[in-house]
Amino acid sequence: MNFITRLSALCLRKSKMQQRHQSSRRPAVPLGSRILTDPSKVFEHNMWDHMQWSQEEEENAKEKAAENSLVKVQPEDQDKYEREASKYWNEFYKTHKNNFFKDRNWLFLEFPEILPERKREELKSEERSSENTKVNSTKSFSHKKEIFEEGEKYCRKNYEGGSTSVQGNAYNKKQAKSLTDNPHGANCGEELGSIESFPGSGATYRILEVGCGAGNSVFPILKVLCNTPGTFLYCCDFASGAVELVKSHSSYNSAWCSAFVHDVCDDALPYPFPDEILDVILLVFVLSTIHPDRMQGVVNRLAKLLKPGGMLLFRDYGRYDRAQLRFKKGHCLSENFYVRGDGTRVYFFTKDEVWNMFNLAGLTEVQNLVDRRLQVNRKKKVKMQRVWIQSKFQKPLSCSLNNPEKTPKGTLTDNGTMNSRN
């Protein structure tokens, strides 16, 4: 069996596991199906899905957020955190390198749209054929590790030659590398006049990850796509140190991926490819790092990069997540926007805010969910309420996004009241 198929099937299939409550399968899409029905068994697993908060828990969370927001960061310091945002993230990656975040191997479960349709169909077929196979959890882990190692060997083997093919265009290694060595897309406007002048120009399916960090999404995606003809992955970050970590990784190769430095808040900065060519944009725990006043502009610009029918996949921090409630006084920049001790910033969304932003950019909702989970530290017997927002928005097949600002700003929230975001 092809190792790529085995890898994706392993990520996608609903493996039968032991000692589950309410559901014998984990995870189910969306957002899992491990339901806590017996509170006495709370410490049997590290995470429980679809948690329902009581009114008392909701009120306590609001009180904690209100309390830690009483003392705001001084205006001059706020300006510094905005002005030097890339410096703080560069220091973060210099300190932690690629050891802070885990690889996001869950991406294909929650966001199968990352894959081309033909690949999804292939994996669905593989999933159906393997549903009757019982996999012991320990063996599953070992098998998964083995498949990932096979993937790395495959990519290395196919990249050893003196030349490489960048999605239909032949280059030697030096030429292929030079296509992605212009980090800020300098002179991009001049170069994009020719279809052959940008990396991935010969691809038929293109993905962009915004805020790629050290590559915790990039490399799980590449391990699946590196044997899928016609696919190409772009990834960018405004921290040059993060991009260097990606490009120095053993699995990185410009035949399948272009990593570049880019500040998504700078509307005047061109991307190293034309508008309306992307099938998928991945925006995972990125928008929350941007000042709330600049978020709408970022989303508007990204929407223009999608081809009609293209999908934007979003996951980020939700309102009253434990990370928000842990902040001490003096770390609040503005409402629901905070600065960490290392100078990096984070915003906590509601799903209405997310809907408003993407709707104003001319995108249509496919999914927009609040993901509430109970995270457990079994050793310390600590329970932590986590809240995330997970969304999918699509660019209509016949829609011009030249003037997204003209879309009405007032929108209905879940409770029927009007809500708008400036």
Side-chain angles (χ1 to χ4, degrees):
M1 185 191 301
N2 183 285
F3 84 92
I4 294 291
T5 303
R6 292 162 60 199
L7 164 64
S8 303
L10 179 66
C11 292
L12 285 168
R13 70 175 171 237
K14 304 169 185 177
S15 301
K16 290 187 177 181
M17 305 291 282
Q18 298 176 352
Q19 298 180 353
R20 295 290 184 262
H21 306 294
Q22 182 130 336
S23 174
S24 62
R25 296 181 181 273
R26 175 68 168 97
V29 178
L31 312 181
S33 61
R34 184 182 292 155
I35 311 299
L36 178 64
T37 57
D38 184 349
S40 67
K41 297 180 178 179
V42 66
F43 293 110
E44 289 191 5
H45 298 288
N46 295 327
M47 190 83 74
W48 298 94
D49 306 319
H50 300 286
M51 296 301 297
Q52 300 296 316
W53 286 19
S54 66
Q55 185 175 351
E56 181 181 1
E57 287 174 320
E58 190 87 28
E59 291 302 321
N60 287 340
K62 289 180 181 179
E63 288 178 12
K64 287 181 180 179
E67 182 180 350
N68 70 22
S69 302
L70 288 174
V71 180
K72 299 291 194 298
V73 174
Q74 292 299 311
E76 58 270 23
D77 290 329
Q78 294 206 31
D79 291 341
K80 180 187 70 172
Y81 291 128
E82 173 68 18
R83 188 175 60 253
E84 301 180 3
S86 62
K87 185 192 82 169
Y88 289 112
W89 279 107
N90 271 316
E91 289 176 353
F92 174 89
Y93 288 110
K94 183 178 180 181
T95 300
H96 299 288
K97 299 190 183 301
N98 59 356
N99 299 317
F100 191 83
F101 301 109
K102 295 180 179 179
D103 280 354
R104 294 166 177 157
N105 297 313
W106 52 266
L107 282 173
F108 300 107
L109 288 165
E110 298 297 346
F111 297 136
E113 297 85 357
I114 294 172
L115 301 171
E117 185 174 357
R118 64 183 182 277
K119 191 71 174 179
R120 295 201 299 268
E121 291 302 317
E122 177 186 335
L123 297 177
K124 284 180 184 177
S125 176
E126 178 70 20
E127 180 185 2
R128 285 192 294 268
S129 67
S130 62
E131 274 192 349
N132 294 326
T133 304
K134 295 183 179 180
V135 183
N136 178 274
S137 59
T138 303
K139 289 182 180 178
S140 176
F141 176 81
S142 300
H143 186 51
K144 182 178 180 181
K145 182 179 178 182
E146 174 188 338
I147 291 176
F148 270 82
E149 287 173 350
E150 286 182 30
E152 290 176 349
K153 290 177 182 177
Y154 177 91
C155 291
R156 283 198 296 269
K157 178 181 177 182
N158 283 272
Y159 295 152
E160 283 174 357
S163 64
T164 185
S165 173
V166 182
Q167 297 308 325
N169 300 315
Y171 302 94
N172 62 37
K173 295 256 181 161
K174 187 179 294 185
Q175 289 172 323
K177 184 177 186 297
S178 70
L179 288 172
T180 56
D181 274 350
N182 186 357
H184 286 286
N187 300 320
C188 257
E190 298 175 8
E191 295 177 1
L192 293 181
S194 168
I195 194 169
E196 299 294 337
S197 63
F198 64 95
S201 58
T204 57
Y205 193 87
R206 302 180 184 94
I207 304 164
L208 167 66
E209 186 193 9
V210 178
C212 61
N216 299 98
S217 297
V218 170
F219 297 111
I221 293 172
L222 282 180
K223 285 170 184 174
V224 173
L225 294 185
C226 72
N227 196 33
T228 305
T231 60
F232 197 85
L233 174 64
Y234 303 97
C235 58
C236 66
D237 202 291
F238 78 152
S240 58
V243 174
E244 285 306 312
L245 285 172
V246 171
K247 296 174 80 170
S248 63
H249 194 283
S250 60
S251 296
Y252 178 80
N253 191 282
S254 53
W256 302 98
C257 182
S258 172
F260 57 99
V261 178
H262 192 87
D263 183 356
V264 294
C265 293
D266 187 348
D267 289 340
L269 192 63
Y271 285 83
F273 47 79
D275 288 354
E276 295 198 329
I277 69 159
L278 297 179
D279 295 271
V280 174
I281 294 176
L282 193 61
L283 199 61
V284 177
F285 295 102
V286 176
L287 203 59
S288 56
T289 69
I290 296 170
H291 193 287
D293 291 345
R294 308 183 77 176
M295 290 179 185
Q296 187 65 61
V298 170
V299 174
N300 290 349
R301 182 68 186 96
L302 292 176
K304 292 178 182 178
L305 299 176
L306 285 171
K307 63 174 62 171
M311 191 83 73
L312 195 152
L313 308 175
F314 173 88
R315 186 171 174 85
D316 220 316
Y317 294 102
R319 189 69 46 85
Y320 309 134
D321 177 63
R322 180 176 182 268
Q324 180 178 10
L325 305 184
R326 289 184 64 190
F327 277 105
K328 306 297 182 184
K329 291 180 182 178
H331 285 263
C332 185
L333 298 162
S334 60
E335 191 174 0
N336 303 302
F337 190 44
Y338 299 81
V339 61
R340 302 182 181 96
D342 61 5
T344 62
R345 300 172 299 174
V346 59
Y347 185 84
F348 297 87
F349 295 95
T350 67
K351 73 173 187 176
D352 289 330
E353 289 173 336
V354 171
W355 187 90
N356 284 341
M357 279 191 291
F358 291 112
N359 179 64
L360 286 172
L363 303 181
T364 303
E365 177 190 332
V366 175
Q367 179 190 85
N368 193 26
L369 304 171
V370 179
D371 182 7
R372 285 193 170 102
R373 306 197 188 196
L374 182 64
Q375 191 173 3
V376 173
N377 185 320
R378 291 189 277 180
K379 184 177 180 180
K380 296 181 179 180
K381 302 297 182 184
V382 174
K383 295 180 283 185
M384 300 160 280
Q385 297 281 5
R386 305 309 310 267
V387 185
W388 298 294
I389 306 295
Q390 180 167 301
S391 311
K392 304 175 184 182
F393 287 84
Q394 189 169 32
K395 186 171 182 176
L397 288 173
S398 57
C399 177
S400 173
L401 298 179
N402 292 331
N403 294 299
E405 303 85 9
K406 293 184 178 179
T407 307
K409 291 188 177 181
T411 51
L412 278 176
T413 64
D414 285 347
N415 59 14
T417 60
M418 294 301 293
N419 185 21
S420 64
R421 192 166 174 79
N422 295 324

